[in-house]
Amino acid sequence: MIRGRVSGKLWSSRRVPSLPVGALLEIEIDTGGKLIAFDPLGCAPGEAVLVVQGSVAASYFSGVSAPIDALVIGSIDEEKKSKT
Amino acid sequence: MIRGRVSGKLWSSRRVPSLPVGALLEIEIDTGGKLIAFDPLGCAPGEAVLVVQGSVAASYFSGVSAPIDALVIGSIDEEKKSKT
Amino acid sequence: MIRGRVSGKLWSSRRVPSLPVGALLEIEIDTGGKLIAFDPLGCAPGEAVLVVQGSVAASYFSGVSAPIDALVIGSIDEEKKSKT
Amino acid sequence: MIRGRVSGKLWSSRRVPSLPVGALLEIEIDTGGKLIAFDPLGCAPGEAVLVVQGSVAASYFSGVSAPIDALVIGSIDEEKKSKT
Amino acid sequence: MIRGRVSGKLWSSRRVPSLPVGALLEIEIDTGGKLIAFDPLGCAPGEAVLVVQGSVAASYFSGVSAPIDALVIGSIDEEKKSKT
């Protein structure tokens, strides 16, 4: 997985029907680069997140074949990390 | 997923039979680089698009085993984004 | 998918038994780098080709589990492209 | 697989329910870069580890569909390596 | 697939039980970088090899779910290549 930070949101009205309804966030990856991830958690701009990539991101959507290759799987606890 | 912009189209007459009939677009990726993606939406040159990569791109083609690893899954609403 | 050009061929006599018999081409990727792809089309040196990567490349070989992660899926029509 | 070294740990309280309970380690990759991997072995900070990436990392979790794309599969024997 | 050359070997005594028993080789990739691959062929240091990556590397191990994402699938015939 990779760490990143929410830097934006995007909308796509004209889309393939199998794209699940939900937030598509722009994530700035900590090690450089950007990607767009589906966010089932409702993360806010600036929030640190954990993103999974590849076919396992799609397997989150059970029963359907979702064309999703990046998924926010957690919000990173920033306070706890600095204490450790 | 990644953001990109349609920069061209390509044709391949001599191809494997399992390659689906449809548009093969050249996409300039926003963070650099280029790729070729299958486009089921009929996107135009210059249009901003959302592209999914890997085996989930192939799962869009139900019932067949398509050799596709990049798929345009949406046209990005550029006006809405600037308003947000 | 990615665009590339055939730059060589390689032979491997000592190989895993599940590697399919056929041409293994060295491809120079248009955006930089090289890879080795299985070619079911009989492409010639210098020919522009379209290459698919990842597990979908293996699914071309139906009924067997081929250890192939890159496959030439088409020869690119170079004349048509310049006319468009 | 890639070699890396454990450089930290992270916590995520707000997470998707399918994320398995267990350690999420930050790994510094030997050839550069960082990633977050699930660690079933209890590795310590500074330990050299072997990490597998992609969908096979998720297949470690049998019976469930875990959104994991990087898994620590072994601790590297550093003494033995230097002797060889 | 990618071309590389065997540059070392590693041992991991503390490992997940599903990691198959066999050689784990360090491979220097021809285009730069390094990776660790499972070697079922018994390749020697300095030998030129062909490596497959991703989930198809794991499918080599039939009947089990092996956490392997890189596999040596052939030793490259270096003399034949120079003659062609």
Side-chain angles (χ1 to χ4, degrees), chain B residues 2-26:
Chain B
I2 52 171
R3 284 181 66 128
R5 208 165 277 277
V6 180
S7 58
K9 200 164 180 170
L10 63 81
W11 282 263
S12 171
S13 306
R14 195 155 58 93
R15 43 160 68 196
V16 298
S18 53
L19 181 56
V21 175
L24 293 168
L25 300 187
E26 186 187 70

Side-chain angles (χ1 to χ4, degrees), chain A residues 53-68:
Chain A
Q53 289 176 277
S55 59
V56 295
S59 64
Y60 173 77
F61 302 90
S62 59
V64 297
S65 177
I68 293 291

Side-chain angles (χ1 to χ4, degrees), chain A residues 16 18 54-56 58 65-70, chain B residues 1 19-20 35-40 50-73, chain C residues 1 52-56 59:
Chain A
V16 297
S18 52
S55 59
V56 295
S65 177
I68 293 291
D69 66 8
Chain B
M1 285 73 71
L19 181 56
L35 57 75
I36 309 296
F38 189 92
D39 172 27
L50 189 60
V51 177
V52 73
Q53 291 177 275
S55 59
V56 295
S59 64
Y60 173 77
F61 302 91
S62 60
V64 297
S65 178
I68 292 291
D69 66 7
L71 179 79
V72 176
I73 57 170
Chain C
M1 286 73 73
V52 73
Q53 290 176 277
S55 59
V56 296
S59 65

Side-chain angles (χ1 to χ4, degrees), chain D residues 29-47:
Chain D
I29 306 168
D30 279 21
T31 52
K34 282 185 184 182
L35 57 76
I36 308 297
F38 189 93
D39 172 26
L41 296 171
C43 294
E47 197 165 343

